[in-house]
Every structure is written in C-alpha cells, then in structure tokens.
Amino acid sequence: MAQHKFQTEVSQLLHLIIHSLYSNREIFLRELVSNASDALDKLKYLTVADDNYKHLSFEPRIDISFDKDGKTLTVSDNGIGMNEADLAESLGTIARSGTKAFLEQLSADAKKDSNLIGQFGVGFYSAFMVAEKIEVISRKAGEDSAWKWTSDGKDGFDMESYGRDSQGTTVILCLSEEGLEFANRWSIEDIIKRYSNHVAFPIYLTYDEKEWDKDGKEKGSITKCEQINSGTALWRRSKSDLKEEDYKEFYKQISNDSEEPLFHVHTRAEGTLEYSTLFYVPKKAPFDLFHVDYRPGVKLYVRRVFITDDDKELMPTWLRFVRGVIDSEDLPLNVSREILQQNKILVNIKNASVKKLLSEFKTLADKAAVGDSEAEGNWETFIENFNKPLKEGLYQDFANREAIQELVRFKSTKVDGWTGFADYVSRMQSDQKSIYYITGGGAAGGSDEKTLRASPLLEAYTAKDIEVLIMTDEIDEIVIPTLHSYRQEGSEIDGKTESQSWELKSVNRAGADEELGEKADKNRHKAAEKEIKPVIEKIKKALGDRVKDVKLSRRLHDSPSCIVADENDPTMQMQQMLKAMGQNAMTDIKPILEVNGEHPILNKLKETDDEERIANIAGVLLDQALLVEGIKLKDPADFVKRLNQLLV
C-alpha cells in the first residue's frame, strides 16, 4: 500500500471545503451522482466514437446502497473509471495549479472563500462533511487492473491495487455520527428526486424491506432494488417526441398547480451557448405574485443536474409568474452550486429567454387580434392575470421596453374590453397629436374603472370624440409618466424605416387640455377668462392655501369643478400612494381647481358678495371634485356642514 501526504496548502484547502464551503450537507449525494453521471457520459461517447471501446458491453447505471449498522453509504457506476494515475490526479490533487496563490487570497469570511473556490473542481470532497473515511475503488475501461484510494480527509491518502470485475467506480463513505441521518431509504430518495431526478441515466437504490406475518409480527426482510429517478429530462427531448399531455403533466410536477398551464415555450439553443429551456405561463396568478418574498418559479439545472429553485436572478422580477426550467451545458458545476454567482453565461441565457418569452406573448396577442378563438381566450386570461407585472417591466427593463409597450393593455372610453397603444393609434383622429389617459384606480383606496369613467375630466374629450385610456392600476401612476411617448415603426422608405411617436398626456394634469380647442375656441376662452376673473378671485380668496391655483376650465361641460395636478407635481392619487408606502413626511402638494364658468353654481357666485356663502360654495366645489376622483376628504364633517348650509 502506497501512502501519500497532502501538501500543506492542499490540506488547508480541504479543511475549508469540508467545514466552510457548503451551506447544505445533503448536496454531497448530488455531487457524487453528478460525478458518476459524468463518468457514464464519457464512456457512452467513447463506445460510439472510439473503435477501442465499441466492443464493450455497456448498460449505463448508477447504484446506491447503505448499511446503517455498518455505517456506510455506497455510490457505484459502470462508467469510464480511473486508473492509478487518474486517481492520484483527480482525488490526490485538489487544485491543479496556483493553489498557493489561491490560498493567499483567502480571508476569514467563509462566504467570500466559497465564492473564490468556484474555479476548482472539488465537489467530491463535500462527502467528508458526512464521512470519517472514504474509499474509492475504480477500474478504467479497457484496462484489467483496479485500484483503491482511501483517505480520512486530513493528512493524505493511501493507494493500493485492488479487485473489480468491470469498469467503473465505487465510492464507499464510512459515515460519521452526523452523516448517519442519510443512511436510510427515504432520505436518499428525497435527495435524488430533488437534485438528480433528471440525470439521463437510471439511478437504482438497493435496500432491505421488512416482511410481516398475518399477525403483524416481523418475519424477516427482503432485499429490493428500485429505480428512484425518472431517468430522462423532458425538456431535453425533441418537441416532436412530446405530446401536449407530457408538457401538462410535467408542469404539474414542477409547479404543484392542480390546473393545466395557459401555454408553454420550449427552446433548445445550440451554438455559442448550448442550453434548453422549458417555460410555462400559469392560468392563474400565483398567490404570492405581489409579495416581496415571492417564491421564484424557475429551476436551474446544469447538464441535467439540479442546482437551485430559489434564485430570483434566473428571471427578471416582472416575469416572476413564469414557471419552468433552464438547463445549461456551459455553466460551471462548481462547489458552491447552491450559492449561484453572477455569471456571464447565465446573463446571456436569461436575456435570450426574456426575448423568447416576449416573442411568444406577442404571437399570442397577434393571433387573438385576427380572431383566433382559442388565442382570444388565452390572451384575455393572460392580460387579466399578468398585465400588472408586464407594466412593471416598462419601468424595470429598459432594453425590452418597446416590446413590452406592444403587450400592455388598458381599458378605454371608446371600446369594450382591453386595448393597447397600437390599437389606440389606429383609431386616433387625423389631427390628434397625443395619446390621452386618465389614472387614479386604487391609489385612494376606492377609485375604480367606474369612478374614472364618470370623472368630470373626461367631459370635453367625450364631447369631441377623443379617446382616453382608462388606467386603474396603482402602478400606472408610476410607470406611464416615465414612458413620455409611444413610438411605432412604420414602413420602409428609400431603405430607411420611418417611425412615428405620440406624446402620452395625462388628463389629470393642467396642460393636457391645450389641444382641445381650435383657434376660435381659444379666443373665446380668453374672453371668458376675463369675464369670470372676479369670480375666480372670490374662490381663490375663500380657499386660500387649500389649492395651488383656480382656473377656468376648457374640459368641463356638465360638472361645476374638477381638480388637476400642475405639470411637474405628483397627482393627488400619487401622493396618497406614497403616504400608504410610509412616506408621511412628504409635504402636501396642492391641487389646481378648475371651474366651469357656464355652470349655474358659478353664476350664483357672480351675484353675491356674502363671504360666508362664497366660502361654503368654494369649499363644496373643491371637496366634491376631490370625492369624484376617489380622494378621501381630510375633514368630512366640514364638507357636510357647508353642504347643509347651502341646502337651507
């Protein structure tokens, strides 16, 4: 038996691996199964590509067994195997180069150390977290001799010639007291199903099952050997080999959703990057969709080996409703797999996946637009559930903003159901320069579509047959102003693509009504302003600092008053939303009150100089304008008192 000492720096590195690197001990079994799978992959390739190996009888498999009384757990494969030199190289030398320089970078911060270690292929040594000693018996394919490697993971390793009937590797763990919890059927099955269920080769577990007589007394035991993994990765199979039922069944397995998915997107990429993705969109929004601590729905595999299902970096936040799998051939299987690092390969896969999903969403929308009945139903369901997260994408994902703009939907004063920017533009009046919208839903705790449709702010637009988009989501107040405009690509002229853009204008703001009148209308408005100026002054004096300004309105036809925000001020709804988010220190920004000069209430103000009556009318004009917009009054009792005095 030949004894070998680990070099000082290698011993130090091994201690770090065993005691500091892993945050979850059970992944030792994932590492060993992954190594066995790699060995099977290598031999499988050689039996096809190399004449020296084509004669081998090869039925790839991985076997796991345990002996609780003997305190051992064994993982065996019939893959490529190792000879003496391979064992010394692969298991005797942890870091192949730069070990000393690497160790000089180490700090006392274990997490930092674990990030640095990722460049070294040392997953095998995670087994020392649960084992006092490890024996590796291996025979290389095409060779007659086998070798045994033994180590306690402290000072060094022993190597000796040994016997093995066929090629492959057997790893025997002599379990520590802490490791004994894994020497049972249920723990092993659970770990394999969670981490290695889709390894391409069958994994068999051998165990003893007790037998009982008719009186319930133990009469002995029987040894069983069962496959405990599915042995195939559905997402890596050809689309032509899969049925719709296969996709649906797999979705239920990975999502724990009792319903079928709305649709799926299956992609296989080959070239600079090689990876497979299978994404699903649920029929219903996950219950935690708008929770800060939402559970991510995408699982990461590397070469069919499970890495993580709780990393929020696999998909952008606005696509958190997507369920599915990413399986990469290029990502490194480093030691700290459970602590996924920022990786350029993963970033590229993520970016390509987002574009693919957006393309599929657009295809569904286009099919629905041309009357495909199935697509119409699916698109309606998709928007009802996921329109709001898509709007988050407008704010968060600048690179894909134009694509997302084509997908988000709103209600409208012109059509029933949902509509988008492109449809709005197709219905615009020939001389219309802007896209108009109104916000307010939900921010005040009571505004909704019905409230917004009844807003006095819409009266002039309705009278002039100008469409206004109804935006009821709280997020609209944040997202839409950041867009500024909607841009649409046109046809190609002289080799250049012409495009048009339309400014997005909120009817909640003071300047939005400037396009409403022709030149003659504007002249009449100036004359009316001059005539009603004394009344405006009375209202301003009565309201004092409750308003920023009082103006004659162009947009009111039937209602006596409305409120709008100054161009650079947050709307009243936005202010209430910020307060609901805890920003109570924000100074109240006053609204602008617009009044209808032709309304009978304003005519009454022309006829009186009674300051108390003017104050009551002015207060009611402001308070009712606030109420119509769904804004809670600061002093409801004062409003009722003023209203009662006017009714007497």
Side-chain angles (χ1 to χ4, degrees):
M1 179 185 291
Q3 294 184 335
H4 306 265
K5 294 275 295 179
F6 288 134
Q7 294 178 4
T8 303
E9 61 265 28
V10 177
S11 297
Q12 185 182 344
L13 185 58
L14 184 55
H15 184 272
L16 170 68
I17 294 164
I18 297 168
H19 298 286
S20 304
L21 194 56
Y22 287 94
S23 60
N24 186 0
R25 288 189 304 147
E26 66 186 21
I27 55 85
F28 82 91
L29 188 54
R30 180 191 70 183
E31 298 291 340
L32 296 181
V33 169
S34 177
N35 290 343
S37 176
D38 288 344
L40 293 170
D41 266 327
K42 289 175 183 176
L43 185 55
K44 184 179 179 181
Y45 171 77
L46 291 173
T47 57
V48 175
D50 192 325
D51 291 337
N52 294 323
Y53 295 90
K54 287 182 179 179
H55 67 282
L56 288 177
S57 176
F58 179 53
E59 293 183 9
R61 62 182 286 161
I62 299 169
D63 285 277
I64 302 174
S65 61
F66 62 90
D67 180 353
K68 191 156 191 173
D69 295 332
K71 297 185 178 182
T72 63
L73 190 152
T74 302
V75 179
S76 181
D77 67 74
N78 60 343
I80 187 68
M82 293 176 280
N83 56 25
E84 183 181 17
D86 295 331
L87 283 166
E89 176 70 10
S90 298
L91 304 184
T93 307
I94 298 174
R96 286 168 170 72
S97 63
T99 306
K100 191 169 184 178
F102 168 74
L103 289 171
E104 288 172 355
Q105 300 177 55
L106 297 182
S107 69
D109 187 337
K111 188 172 183 180
K112 182 179 178 183
D113 295 343
S114 69
N115 290 335
L116 287 171
I117 198 72
Q119 61 192 288
F120 297 97
V122 291
F124 165 80
Y125 283 94
S126 63
F128 279 110
M129 292 189 298
V130 298
E132 295 175 339
K133 183 176 74 171
I134 299 177
E135 296 177 352
V136 180
I137 302 163
S138 192
R139 175 178 166 183
K140 191 164 187 175
E143 297 185 9
D144 296 327
S145 57
W147 294 87
K148 180 179 178 181
W149 179 98
T150 307
S151 177
D152 60 4
K154 295 175 182 176
D155 300 321
F157 59 93
D158 297 329
M159 191 92 73
E160 63 181 308
S161 178
Y162 207 75
R164 198 179 198 279
D165 294 337
S166 61
Q167 85 279 346
T169 300
T170 300
V171 180
I172 304 170
L173 309 183
C174 299
L175 297 171
S176 62
E177 289 300 318
E178 293 81 5
L180 277 177
E181 65 175 293
F182 300 106
N184 67 82
R185 172 189 174 187
W186 312 112
S187 293
I188 293 170
E189 281 192 10
D190 178 61
I191 294 169
I192 293 300
K193 288 188 184 299
R194 277 192 291 125
Y195 291 103
S196 306
N197 196 41
H198 299 288
V199 168
F201 307 106
I203 302 172
Y204 292 94
L205 175 62
T206 300
Y207 62 94
D208 291 332
E209 185 173 76
K210 293 180 180 179
E211 290 188 309
W212 311 87
D213 63 20
K214 61 181 180 180
D215 297 321
K217 294 181 179 179
E218 184 179 340
K219 65 176 184 178
S221 63
I222 182 173
T223 300
K224 289 189 173 183
C225 183
E226 295 179 352
Q227 183 173 338
I228 56 174
N229 71 321
S230 67
T232 181
L234 179 137
W235 61 84
R236 294 175 68 96
R237 291 165 58 186
S238 171
K239 296 179 189 178
S240 59
D241 294 339
L242 295 168
K243 298 178 181 177
E244 193 64 26
E245 286 305 314
D246 296 325
Y247 285 113
K248 292 176 181 177
E249 188 59 35
F250 181 68
Y251 168 73
K252 291 179 180 179
Q253 289 178 22
I254 64 169
S255 68
N256 295 318
D257 191 346
S258 58
E259 289 198 51
E260 295 178 352
L262 192 61
F263 58 90
H264 67 267
V265 182
H266 190 182
T267 303
R268 172 73 178 169
E270 295 179 340
T272 307
L273 290 177
E274 187 175 346
Y275 62 90
S276 299
T277 59
L278 176 54
F279 299 125
Y280 293 91
V281 173
K283 278 187 178 177
K284 290 184 179 178
F287 74 93
D288 61 350
L289 184 64
F290 297 107
H291 293 187
V292 175
D293 57 346
Y294 70 90
R295 177 81 178 174
V298 176
K299 301 174 185 288
L300 176 65
Y301 287 77
V302 175
R303 295 188 287 280
R304 303 178 302 279
V305 176
F306 174 73
I307 304 300
T308 182
D309 62 356
D310 61 358
D311 196 300
K312 294 182 179 181
E313 294 302 315
L314 297 178
M315 273 285 142
T317 307
W318 61 274
L319 281 174
R320 60 189 176 275
F321 56 87
V322 172
R323 300 304 186 238
V325 168
I326 295 173
D327 186 0
S328 169
E329 292 292 319
D330 304 299
L331 278 169
L333 272 174
N334 60 30
V335 176
S336 53
R337 296 178 198 178
E338 71 275 24
I339 307 170
L340 192 64
Q341 304 172 39
Q342 282 289 342
N343 184 287
K344 287 184 179 180
I345 294 171
L346 185 59
V347 169
N348 289 335
I349 293 174
K350 176 180 173 181
N351 291 340
S353 296
V354 170
K355 291 186 183 301
K356 180 63 177 176
L357 284 166
L358 286 171
S359 175
E360 291 295 324
F361 299 163
K362 182 67 165 60
T363 298
L364 180 62
D366 291 343
K367 286 181 179 178
V370 296
D372 183 313
S373 57
E374 182 180 359
E376 283 180 336
N378 287 344
W379 179 245
E380 180 81 11
T381 301
F382 178 79
I383 289 300
E384 290 285 354
N385 283 277
F386 307 118
N387 196 35
K388 196 180 292 187
L390 284 182
K391 290 177 182 177
E392 292 176 27
L394 290 174
Y395 184 77
Q396 298 171 1
D397 193 341
F398 187 80
N400 293 299
R401 177 179 280 186
E402 289 190 11
I404 301 171
Q405 273 189 343
E406 299 299 331
L407 297 171
V408 292
R409 294 294 184 263
F410 312 95
K411 296 300 178 69
S412 166
T413 57
K414 272 283 185 76
V415 295
D416 295 328
W418 298 98
T419 192
F421 287 129
D423 294 325
Y424 180 102
V425 167
S426 70
R427 295 188 294 266
M428 282 175 60
Q429 296 181 10
S430 58
D431 59 344
Q432 189 176 332
K433 299 176 182 178
S434 304
I435 295 174
Y436 294 100
Y437 67 91
I438 183 170
T439 59
S447 295
D448 55 20
E449 184 182 342
K450 184 178 179 181
T451 301
L452 290 181
R453 288 186 183 278
S455 173
L457 296 170
L458 299 180
E459 290 176 359
Y461 300 92
T462 302
K464 293 182 177 293
D465 198 31
I466 295 175
E467 182 174 4
V468 179
L469 296 176
I470 309 290
M471 300 190 179
T472 59
D473 289 331
E474 298 95 321
I475 195 171
D476 294 325
E477 287 274 3
I478 301 170
V479 171
I480 304 304
T482 67
L483 297 181
H484 303 299
S485 63
Y486 166 68
R487 183 171 174 270
Q488 190 178 71
E489 295 292 344
S491 57
E492 189 174 294
I493 301 174
D494 296 330
K496 294 182 179 180
T497 302
E498 296 294 322
S499 64
Q500 283 184 285
S501 64
W502 294 268
E503 186 180 355
L504 297 171
K505 282 196 173 182
S506 168
V507 303
N508 304 64
R509 296 196 173 277
D513 59 351
E514 292 177 358
E515 289 181 27
L516 291 177
E518 302 293 336
K519 188 173 182 179
D521 293 330
K522 291 178 180 178
N523 291 335
R524 283 195 295 271
H525 185 75
K526 285 183 179 179
E529 280 182 328
K530 187 175 181 180
E531 183 181 343
I532 203 169
K533 186 176 180 181
V535 176
I536 297 289
E537 293 300 326
K538 291 178 182 180
I539 297 172
K540 279 186 181 181
K541 182 180 178 182
L543 294 177
D545 63 0
R546 289 189 66 192
V547 294
K548 189 170 189 176
D549 200 0
V550 180
K551 294 181 178 181
L552 178 65
S553 180
R554 289 189 185 93
R555 68 188 96 211
L556 295 173
H557 277 219
D558 302 317
S559 301
S561 62
C562 66
I563 56 163
V564 294
D566 204 355
E567 282 296 317
N568 298 314
D569 290 343
T571 63
M572 295 294 287
Q573 289 86 0
M574 174 64 84
Q575 291 181 57
Q576 293 204 8
M577 185 160 51
L578 291 172
K579 287 181 179 179
M581 294 165 63
Q583 298 188 28
N584 294 317
M586 191 181 92
T587 305
D588 281 341
I589 297 172
K590 313 303 180 185
I592 294 173
L593 179 68
E594 290 192 357
V595 295
N596 181 355
E598 297 179 1
H599 197 277
I601 292 178
L602 273 295
N603 290 330
K604 288 184 179 181
L605 283 174
K606 289 180 185 177
E607 301 164 0
T608 182
D609 291 318
D610 184 337
E611 291 189 0
E612 183 180 3
R613 183 169 177 78
I614 293 170
N616 287 336
I617 292 175
V620 169
L621 285 173
L622 175 60
D623 286 344
Q624 72 174 13
L626 291 168
L627 286 170
V628 168
E629 297 304 317
I631 297 168
K632 186 178 179 180
L633 299 181
K634 287 185 177 179
D635 192 350
D638 181 67
F639 169 69
V640 172
K641 179 182 176 182
R642 292 183 185 279
L643 188 60
N644 288 338
Q645 287 176 346
L646 291 174
L647 290 173
V648 173

